Amino acid sequence: MAEDTLKMGLLELKPNFKIMMVGSTEADIEDACQKPDDLGEIIDDLDEIETEEESLENSSIYLAKIQKRIKEYKITELNAPRPDKHLLVLDIDYTLFDHRSPAECGAELMRPYLHEFLTSAYEHYDIVIWSATGMRWIEEKCVCWALLIETAIK
């Protein structure tokens, strides 16, 4: 990390290198450290939830939404389960792909040694890739992934 007083021209950055500048002024830091004068009354609403007749997770509205999704959801099975193999479910976002990285392309989002891990795991498990992300983005990530695997095999 560069010192605050260092001039950017002295950093010897590569062409097209991306940097992120983060910071706050001393005045902003000082303001954030002070208790606001107009704080008002603080109410602990967690106590109220516990005294309600119906808990949030058992709410009829949410249960109806879950039942509707279960009824309408279509599962696409790409391959039949293999006999005597347990199922390993992996989340694509933040487990297989690191979306917090400063990557510039999909290949750089993959976790280190991902191919080796999946190859080893497949010996013992059937693998399902899961995501709460929309199917369009899952397909995009998998296409990128497939191209990388194809390139690695050649």
Side-chain angles (χ1 to χ4, degrees):
M1 184 176 296
E3 296 292 323
D4 290 341
T5 56
L6 185 65
K7 296 188 180 206
M8 287 183 62
L10 300 175
L11 290 175
E12 299 178 13
L13 301 174
K14 296 175 185 174
N16 298 321
F17 185 81
K18 293 182 182 180
I19 62 170
M20 181 186 311
M21 297 175 64
V22 180
S24 300
T25 64
E26 293 295 326
D28 288 342
I29 294 170
E30 185 66 32
D31 286 345
C33 292
Q34 302 299 320
K35 181 178 176 182
D37 296 329
D38 58 347
L39 191 58
E41 182 183 358
I42 299 174
I43 299 171
D44 184 359
D45 59 350
L46 291 176
D47 292 335
E48 293 177 21
I49 291 174
E50 293 175 9
T51 60
E52 291 179 7
E53 288 181 27
E54 187 175 47
S55 65
L56 190 60
E57 66 268 11
N58 291 323
S59 168
S60 58
I61 294 170
Y62 294 113
L63 291 174
K65 286 182 180 182
I66 291 169
Q67 288 302 319
K68 181 181 178 203
R69 286 190 181 174
I70 291 170
K71 182 180 175 184
E72 295 176 0
Y73 192 80
K74 294 181 182 176
I75 296 174
T76 305
E77 185 180 274
L78 301 178
N79 297 303
R82 296 178 296 160
D84 302 322
K85 298 293 179 188
H86 292 284
L87 185 64
L88 176 62
V89 180
L90 300 168
D91 187 357
I92 199 168
D93 296 320
Y94 303 109
T95 302
L96 302 177
F97 287 84
D98 179 11
H99 294 282
R100 290 190 180 135
S101 82
E104 295 184 11
C105 69
E108 295 174 2
L109 291 174
M110 289 191 305
R111 295 286 185 181
Y113 303 103
L114 177 62
H115 294 125
E116 294 83 352
F117 165 72
L118 291 173
T119 301
S120 175
Y122 187 71
E123 292 177 26
H124 308 283
Y125 298 92
D126 279 335
I127 300 173
V128 168
I129 307 299
W130 179 88
S131 183
T133 305
M135 195 61 191
R136 177 175 172 245
W137 293 112
I138 294 169
E139 288 171 351
E140 284 295 320
K141 292 169 189 172
C142 288
V143 165
C144 173
W145 194 359
L147 290 173
L148 288 167
I149 292 170
E150 187 177 303
T151 304
I153 292 172
K154 290 180 181 177

